[in-house]
Amino acid sequence: MTFMALILKNLVRQRMRTALTVLGISVGITTVVALGVVLSGVRQTASAVLRAYDSDFIVAQKGSSDLTFSIVTEDEVEALRRRDDVADAVGALFHVSRVGGNPFFVMIGVEAEDIVDQGPQITEGRRIQPGADDEAMIGSRAASTLDLDVGGTLETEERDFTVVGIYKADNIWEDNGAYAALDVVQEIAGKPNAVTAVYVKVAQGEDPDAVADRIEDEHRGLTSISSVDEYSEVDQGIEIMDAMNLAISALAVGIGAIGVMNTMIMSVFERTREIGILRAVGWRGSRIVRMILGESLLLCGVAAVFGSALGVLASRMVLLIPTVRSLLEPQYEAQVFVRALVVALIVAIVGAVYPAVRAVRLTPMEALRHE
């Protein structure tokens, strides 16, 4: 019998115990994968928000708990536009409204002139016109969900808009929302003469990081965001999800390791005489350790595969909820599954340490006398 065959035989001796251990570890891996996939989607959406209008970075109110709570005055927007090191600055106001069954529909208020050249790609109809307070452009996903065409009526909680154009955006939050005139969205949101964020394009030859630092120095109440890692300056959501992902990974390791340790201790206890015989016929302690560690790694490897598949399935099932589908597009990045594999590996090693040490401490004579 080969070494690997012996490992497999040891695991299938107690099929129910092995299956329950694999299931327990799989639940932890499922959570790690599902949350990782969701977090990757959130980060991808956040990155897309930062890159709208071909900007180098955005400027928002420092210390905001959520980006939608940020307030930048129109005077500050004009001050940014007048800077010699800034080529363009586009102010945008984000307002979350209920439309149909979606309570998180994003209305984006901008000056009509600002989206002529830099706005999203129009697939049907036209862009909103300056001074047209009742016009709106709607994203293709939102149009499909709400069954709206050009000429239809977009009904929000506050007022109705005539759909004059349908656009296609690269990011889900924009494609599931709509554009309207800035002054109209300001009135709806109750934020006169204010925007949520300013999309800044630096002048040719300027270093974006240097320009961002100068803006922060001259405008103490504002902060610049150029990457998702800096997003916590204006939105704590991603930082909280990162912390949750780390905490759940640690919890999965702890609970999984206890389950594996329990299984392996029971297995070693039941095979005490067998281990004594193996030692008596010349097996080294290191080989006993490799056998127990091999069993643990195989257990956790199967759990990692099974748990990863369940995690993907869970993330797809979440999308069956219309509200979630309008805000999130899961991203199945390789690093999510690598993290799940690392968690499984740590669980296997931690769970096997004590049983392996206990097994090699037994002398052949003590093991053979065991009843």
Side-chain angles (χ1 to χ4, degrees), residues 120-169:
Q121 177 187 357
I122 296 294
T123 57
E124 295 181 47
R126 59 174 175 80
R127 301 181 187 278
I128 56 177
Q129 298 296 315
D133 293 348
D134 61 342
E135 293 183 353
M137 295 166 15
I138 189 170
S140 59
R141 295 194 189 196
S144 176
T145 301
L146 299 172
D147 195 23
L148 284 175
D149 296 313
V150 174
T153 301
L154 173 63
E155 300 177 359
T156 70
E157 286 182 311
E158 299 84 5
R159 64 188 298 172
D160 296 344
F161 296 89
T162 299
V163 177
V164 298
I166 297 176
Y167 62 83
K168 176 65 178 175

XYZ file of all heavy atoms in Angstrom, residues 120-169:
374
model
N -20.990 59.855 -20.256
C -21.066 58.461 -20.717
C -21.510 58.369 -22.178
O -22.084 59.307 -22.733
C -22.105 57.849 -19.773
C -22.954 59.005 -19.346
C -22.020 60.166 -19.252
N -21.268 57.228 -22.771
C -21.602 57.012 -24.183
C -23.114 56.862 -24.372
O -23.752 56.013 -23.769
C -20.895 55.755 -24.687
C -21.226 55.390 -26.121
C -20.642 54.050 -26.523
O -19.941 53.425 -25.732
N -20.924 53.609 -27.729
N -23.672 57.708 -25.233
C -25.097 57.655 -25.529
C -25.354 56.550 -26.565
O -24.734 56.525 -27.624
C -25.616 59.002 -26.062
C -25.473 60.093 -24.997
C -27.073 58.884 -26.490
C -26.347 59.883 -23.783
N -26.279 55.652 -26.243
C -26.628 54.572 -27.178
C -27.954 54.832 -27.884
O -28.185 54.336 -28.987
C -26.704 53.231 -26.439
O -27.660 53.326 -25.366
C -25.349 52.861 -25.846
N -28.822 55.600 -27.231
C -30.104 55.973 -27.842
C -30.446 57.396 -27.417
O -30.152 57.806 -26.295
C -31.230 55.036 -27.389
C -31.092 53.591 -27.822
C -32.263 52.743 -27.343
O -33.414 53.198 -27.512
O -32.011 51.657 -26.795
N -31.097 58.141 -28.313
C -31.536 59.482 -27.967
C -30.392 60.483 -27.947
O -29.459 60.409 -28.739
N -30.434 61.395 -26.997
C -29.454 62.473 -26.914
C -29.139 62.788 -25.455
O -29.723 62.219 -24.525
C -30.009 63.722 -27.593
C -31.321 64.229 -26.974
C -31.765 65.544 -27.568
N -33.056 65.974 -27.069
C -33.276 66.571 -25.899
N -32.244 66.799 -25.071
N -34.493 66.940 -25.541
N -28.213 63.743 -25.271
C -27.860 64.196 -23.928
C -28.853 65.252 -23.449
O -29.586 65.828 -24.254
C -26.440 64.773 -23.919
C -25.375 63.761 -24.363
C -23.984 64.388 -24.315
N -22.996 63.485 -24.885
C -22.434 62.482 -24.235
N -22.759 62.258 -22.973
N -21.553 61.697 -24.829
N -28.872 65.482 -22.141
C -29.731 66.539 -21.600
C -29.229 67.889 -22.089
O -28.041 68.095 -22.297
C -29.764 66.499 -20.054
C -28.350 66.606 -19.466
C -30.448 65.246 -19.553
C -28.316 66.651 -17.945
N -30.156 68.825 -22.288
C -29.829 70.147 -22.797
C -29.737 71.147 -21.648
O -30.446 71.021 -20.642
C -30.905 70.609 -23.790
C -31.028 69.722 -25.022
C -29.772 69.750 -25.866
O -29.208 70.815 -26.130
N -29.311 68.567 -26.273
N -28.890 72.168 -21.788
C -28.807 73.204 -20.753
C -30.165 73.862 -20.536
O -30.870 74.187 -21.500
C -27.789 74.193 -21.331
C -26.962 73.381 -22.275
C -27.896 72.385 -22.870
N -30.535 74.026 -19.280
C -31.788 74.688 -18.947
C -33.013 73.788 -18.983
O -34.113 74.221 -18.635
N -32.855 72.527 -19.397
C -33.989 71.600 -19.466
C -34.150 70.904 -18.117
O -33.464 69.918 -17.841
C -33.788 70.590 -20.585
N -35.052 71.417 -17.282
C -35.172 70.909 -15.917
C -35.933 69.595 -15.808
O -35.911 68.955 -14.757
C -35.873 71.951 -15.044
C -35.035 73.205 -14.863
O -33.841 73.168 -15.218
O -35.582 74.219 -14.381
N -36.621 69.210 -16.863
C -37.429 67.992 -16.787
C -36.829 66.836 -17.582
O -37.490 65.826 -17.809
C -38.845 68.275 -17.284
C -38.860 68.723 -18.740
O -37.790 69.134 -19.246
O -39.935 68.674 -19.360
N -35.576 66.989 -18.042
C -34.945 65.955 -18.843
C -33.977 65.107 -18.014
O -33.357 65.595 -17.058
C -34.185 66.566 -20.020
C -35.084 67.225 -21.051
C -34.299 67.747 -22.243
O -33.045 67.722 -22.202
O -34.943 68.185 -23.221
N -33.849 63.855 -18.415
C -32.911 62.949 -17.744
C -32.353 61.968 -18.754
O -33.008 61.614 -19.743
C -33.593 62.202 -16.608
N -31.115 61.562 -18.518
C -30.494 60.458 -19.251
C -30.415 59.284 -18.291
O -30.032 59.453 -17.133
C -29.074 60.823 -19.697
C -29.025 61.954 -20.703
S -27.351 62.655 -20.933
C -26.257 61.459 -20.218
N -30.755 58.098 -18.763
C -30.804 56.947 -17.875
C -29.848 55.866 -18.357
O -29.638 55.702 -19.568
C -32.252 56.404 -17.777
C -32.348 55.343 -16.686
C -32.722 55.843 -19.115
C -33.778 54.936 -16.376
N -29.221 55.156 -17.418
C -28.298 54.083 -17.755
C -29.008 52.900 -18.405
O -30.198 52.669 -18.172
N -28.269 52.143 -19.194
C -28.877 51.034 -19.934
C -29.442 49.963 -19.009
O -30.502 49.389 -19.275
C -27.848 50.428 -20.889
O -26.705 49.959 -20.180
N -28.768 49.676 -17.900
C -29.274 48.658 -16.971
C -30.539 49.143 -16.293
O -31.490 48.385 -16.115
C -28.216 48.312 -15.934
C -26.979 47.647 -16.500
C -26.143 47.025 -15.411
N -24.869 46.562 -15.902
C -24.081 45.721 -15.259
N -24.444 45.248 -14.089
N -22.928 45.337 -15.758
N -30.531 50.406 -15.889
C -31.724 50.969 -15.251
C -32.886 50.993 -16.226
O -34.025 50.687 -15.858
C -31.425 52.375 -14.744
N -32.609 51.335 -17.477
C -33.660 51.378 -18.495
C -34.260 49.988 -18.698
O -35.484 49.829 -18.843
C -33.097 51.907 -19.806
N -33.390 48.966 -18.700
C -33.871 47.597 -18.873
C -34.700 47.151 -17.676
O -35.774 46.555 -17.833
C -32.683 46.655 -19.067
O -33.100 45.314 -19.143
N -34.219 47.460 -16.460
C -34.929 47.060 -15.249
C -36.284 47.744 -15.137
O -37.281 47.123 -14.750
C -34.082 47.389 -14.006
O -32.823 46.710 -14.084
C -34.797 46.980 -12.725
N -36.321 49.047 -15.465
C -37.553 49.832 -15.342
C -38.410 49.803 -16.596
O -39.478 50.426 -16.632
C -37.192 51.285 -15.000
C -36.434 51.494 -13.684
C -35.958 52.938 -13.562
C -37.318 51.121 -12.494
N -37.903 49.098 -17.644
C -38.619 49.003 -18.924
C -38.914 50.395 -19.489
O -40.058 50.717 -19.845
C -39.921 48.213 -18.742
C -40.518 47.770 -20.084
O -39.750 47.681 -21.064
O -41.741 47.535 -20.139
N -37.868 51.220 -19.557
C -38.005 52.591 -20.063
C -37.280 52.738 -21.392
O -36.197 52.185 -21.591
C -37.434 53.590 -19.061
C -38.278 53.888 -17.820
C -37.518 54.812 -16.874
C -39.613 54.518 -18.206
N -37.870 53.495 -22.296
C -37.257 53.852 -23.564
C -37.180 55.361 -23.663
O -37.732 56.091 -22.810
C -38.077 53.295 -24.745
C -38.100 51.773 -24.757
O -37.019 51.179 -24.595
O -39.193 51.190 -24.911
N -36.503 55.847 -24.698
C -36.453 57.289 -24.947
C -37.882 57.800 -25.127
O -38.683 57.215 -25.870
C -35.607 57.597 -26.197
C -35.691 59.081 -26.537
C -34.163 57.188 -25.966
N -38.205 58.887 -24.416
C -39.556 59.433 -24.451
C -40.396 58.987 -23.277
O -41.468 59.553 -23.020
N -39.922 57.975 -22.536
C -40.651 57.499 -21.366
C -40.488 58.430 -20.185
O -39.759 59.433 -20.234
N -41.145 58.094 -19.098
C -41.111 58.935 -17.898
C -40.409 58.214 -16.758
O -40.818 57.105 -16.380
C -42.530 59.326 -17.451
O -43.184 60.035 -18.510
C -42.483 60.220 -16.209
N -39.377 58.835 -16.247
C -38.673 58.319 -15.077
C -39.318 58.926 -13.837
O -39.262 60.136 -13.622
C -37.188 58.697 -15.133
C -36.348 58.361 -13.899
C -36.304 56.855 -13.662
C -34.938 58.927 -14.031
N -39.945 58.095 -13.025
C -40.670 58.561 -11.847
C -39.834 58.327 -10.595
O -39.568 57.189 -10.213
C -42.016 57.841 -11.729
C -42.940 58.053 -12.925
C -44.232 57.270 -12.802
O -44.399 56.555 -11.785
O -45.076 57.376 -13.699
N -39.413 59.418 -9.956
C -38.686 59.320 -8.688
C -39.607 59.775 -7.572
O -40.728 60.239 -7.816
C -37.419 60.188 -8.702
O -37.782 61.572 -8.679
C -36.588 59.909 -9.956
N -39.146 59.647 -6.345
C -39.961 60.074 -5.201
C -40.281 61.561 -5.271
O -41.358 61.999 -4.874
C -39.214 59.781 -3.896
C -39.183 58.324 -3.505
C -38.483 58.117 -2.179
O -37.374 58.647 -1.987
O -39.055 57.424 -1.325
N -39.345 62.346 -5.777
C -39.484 63.800 -5.703
C -40.149 64.431 -6.938
O -40.940 65.351 -6.816
C -38.113 64.447 -5.501
C -37.395 64.043 -4.213
C -36.620 62.731 -4.349
O -36.578 62.202 -5.478
O -36.083 62.256 -3.343
N -39.822 63.909 -8.136
C -40.385 64.481 -9.362
C -40.193 63.517 -10.515
O -39.466 62.527 -10.408
C -39.751 65.838 -9.676
C -38.267 65.775 -9.981
C -37.675 67.168 -10.100
N -38.268 67.936 -11.179
C -38.031 69.235 -11.376
N -37.241 69.892 -10.542
N -38.594 69.870 -12.367
N -40.861 63.824 -11.617
C -40.773 62.990 -12.814
C -39.884 63.648 -13.859
O -39.803 64.882 -13.940
C -42.167 62.754 -13.412
C -43.085 61.980 -12.481
O -42.555 61.365 -11.530
O -44.308 62.010 -12.694
N -39.221 62.803 -14.661
C -38.347 63.283 -15.727
C -38.710 62.590 -17.037
O -39.097 61.420 -17.047
C -36.876 62.981 -15.406
C -36.347 63.690 -14.195
C -36.453 63.115 -12.936
C -35.736 64.925 -14.313
C -35.954 63.757 -11.815
C -35.228 65.581 -13.199
C -35.346 64.993 -11.947
N -38.525 63.325 -18.127
C -38.675 62.729 -19.448
C -37.325 62.160 -19.870
O -36.314 62.867 -19.850
C -39.139 63.765 -20.482
O -40.413 64.279 -20.088
C -39.255 63.130 -21.868
N -37.292 60.878 -20.234
C -36.051 60.242 -20.655
C -35.733 60.688 -22.086
O -36.475 60.375 -23.022
C -36.166 58.710 -20.588
C -34.882 58.061 -21.097
C -36.463 58.262 -19.161
N -34.628 61.427 -22.233
C -34.232 61.911 -23.561
C -33.075 61.101 -24.137
O -32.761 61.231 -25.322
C -33.852 63.411 -23.521
C -35.043 64.247 -23.095
C -32.655 63.646 -22.584
N -32.433 60.300 -23.302
C -31.305 59.518 -23.780
C -31.027 58.323 -22.884
O -31.334 58.330 -21.689
N -30.473 57.296 -23.473
C -30.024 56.104 -22.742
C -28.532 55.956 -22.990
O -28.081 56.025 -24.135
C -30.770 54.848 -23.199
C -32.266 54.985 -22.896
C -30.209 53.598 -22.511
C -33.110 53.826 -23.394
N -27.770 55.792 -21.912
C -26.316 55.717 -22.043
C -25.799 54.380 -21.521
O -26.483 53.665 -20.793
C -25.647 56.864 -21.293
C -25.895 56.878 -19.800
C -25.136 56.100 -18.924
C -26.895 57.690 -19.252
C -25.373 56.120 -17.560
C -27.144 57.705 -17.891
C -26.379 56.916 -17.048
O -26.612 56.928 -15.695
N -24.583 54.073 -21.914
C -23.898 52.868 -21.452
C -22.676 53.283 -20.660
O -21.817 54.013 -21.161
C -23.481 51.995 -22.643
C -22.670 50.765 -22.270
C -23.481 49.784 -21.436
C -22.671 48.529 -21.114
N -23.404 47.616 -20.209
N -22.581 52.836 -19.414
C -21.438 53.158 -18.562
C -20.689 51.880 -18.199
O -21.264 50.790 -18.165
C -21.902 53.873 -17.292
